[in-house]
Amino acid sequence: MLKRLHVLFFSFFLVVPVFASEPEMTETNESPTYYDDRQGGWYWYEKDQIPEDKKDELPDMQTLWNMHPDEFQVLIDQVTKKAVQNPTEENVLDYIKMVDISKKKSVAFSSVVSLVGQKNPAFSGNENSYPVNAPGQRALLQQRETEINQTIANNIDDFAIIVFTSESCGFCDSQSDILEYFNNMFGWQIRKVDINANPAMAGKFQVEITPTLILIQRESGDFMPLSSGVISLADLKSRVYRSIRHMKGGADPEQWLMHEYQRNRGGDPLQHVNASQSGMAQ
């Protein structure tokens, strides 16, 4: 019994300093941390209150004028959204200022492009390649039409057209009328093939749709599809013209849409590339 009392007595002196050394909690103005305030925060859909920013003034006009386009785009987006969200006179005035300087920059850029283009027609094309007036456009169309017709007529002995048809094809008659016009103009050999009567030939050219037109080079046997479905006379002439130039090596794929009169001029996409290669060869 005496021994048990001694143990309790000494235990009391060991415990008291622990409680005595624990500091007292004092109130502070600091906001509670996540662990101190577990009943609030993001998990309870409470967000920090963001104080309203003071009104951001626009930079002066000289700064806006010299601003990098990426920075200017960010700023005008912010100003626009702000004016739409809160259309006060001040916000809308800022928006109008940004739009005004955007227009002035656009006019300035267009003016310099026009000036430099006029001074350097070889880089930007010229009035003959891209006419904008009616007389120039009429002359250009006439030049293109003459070149297309002459190219097709000069290759009457080198190429022919195969047209695949079928009895159930309702569009083949319309295509046949167009081919008749083409034949009357140029006198080309045009052969009609029924895919049902000649499935092997249709399979050779991978024809599944009628009418289908194929351009054949007589000497080499090379061929190129012209169309699957009905095409107009103008489209037929244009595709035959381009295909002839391409199959005879007169035009690179990049020059597919180019006409021969545009070679080494503003309308030639490879003008400067070919010129550089010619200079290196010399």
Side-chain angles (χ1 to χ4, degrees), residues 33-258:
T33 64
Y34 167 78
Y35 293 101
D36 294 333
D37 186 18
R38 300 184 185 181
Q39 297 301 318
W42 287 94
Y43 288 101
W44 292 88
Y45 303 99
E46 295 176 1
K47 298 181 180 180
D48 294 336
Q49 296 295 326
I50 301 176
E52 289 189 11
D53 294 329
K54 296 181 179 180
K55 180 181 180 296
D56 296 328
E57 295 183 359
L58 286 180
D60 59 78
M61 288 300 181
Q62 187 65 38
T63 301
L64 290 174
W65 184 265
N66 296 324
M67 187 175 291
H68 189 278
D70 292 342
E71 297 178 356
F72 187 88
Q73 185 63 54
V74 172
L75 181 59
I76 195 172
D77 288 344
Q78 294 174 348
V79 171
T80 302
K81 293 176 182 179
K82 186 176 182 181
V84 172
Q85 182 180 12
N86 187 19
T88 63
E89 291 188 10
E90 292 180 346
N91 292 343
V92 173
L93 179 59
D94 287 344
Y95 166 76
I96 292 176
K97 289 180 180 178
M98 294 294 294
V99 172
D100 180 67
I101 200 167
S102 298
K103 293 178 180 178
K104 288 182 170 60
K105 289 286 287 188
S106 177
V107 172
F109 177 74
S110 299
S111 299
V112 178
V113 169
S114 179
L115 171 64
V116 176
Q118 182 172 326
K119 288 184 175 180
N120 302 273
F123 290 94
S124 59
N126 51 48
E127 285 77 6
N128 291 333
S129 298
Y130 308 104
V132 296
N133 54 69
Q137 291 176 351
R138 285 195 298 267
L140 177 63
L141 291 176
Q142 182 61 42
Q143 187 173 12
R144 288 180 178 176
E145 187 71 12
T146 301
E147 181 178 313
I148 290 174
N149 291 340
Q150 288 180 349
T151 301
I152 296 175
N154 293 339
N155 285 273
I156 184 174
D157 297 326
D158 299 330
F159 291 86
I161 293 177
I162 301 177
V163 51
F164 288 90
T165 64
S166 62
E167 292 183 0
S168 60
C169 174
F171 301 99
C172 293
D173 291 340
S174 298
Q175 189 65 77
S176 296
D177 294 339
I178 295 172
L179 289 171
E180 185 176 352
Y181 285 123
F182 181 87
N183 191 36
N184 291 336
M185 292 179 65
F186 303 108
W188 271 39
Q189 180 181 359
I190 299 175
R191 178 183 176 185
K192 291 185 179 182
V193 177
D194 190 303
I195 62 173
N196 297 318
N198 296 276
M201 192 170 182
K204 176 183 177 181
F205 294 100
Q206 301 179 350
V207 174
E208 297 180 354
I209 299 174
T210 57
T212 292
L213 275 61
I214 304 291
L215 180 67
I216 299 289
Q217 191 170 16
R218 294 174 182 269
E219 183 177 349
S220 65
D222 294 338
F223 66 92
M224 176 176 288
L226 292 174
S227 66
S228 292
V230 180
I231 59 171
S232 66
L233 178 62
D235 286 340
L236 176 59
K237 290 168 54 178
S238 179
R239 295 186 187 190
V240 170
Y241 164 78
R242 293 192 178 108
S243 300
I244 289 174
R245 295 178 63 246
H246 179 70
M247 295 176 71
K248 296 184 73 171
D252 293 331
E254 296 88 345
Q255 298 170 315
W256 175 259
L257 296 177
M258 184 192 78

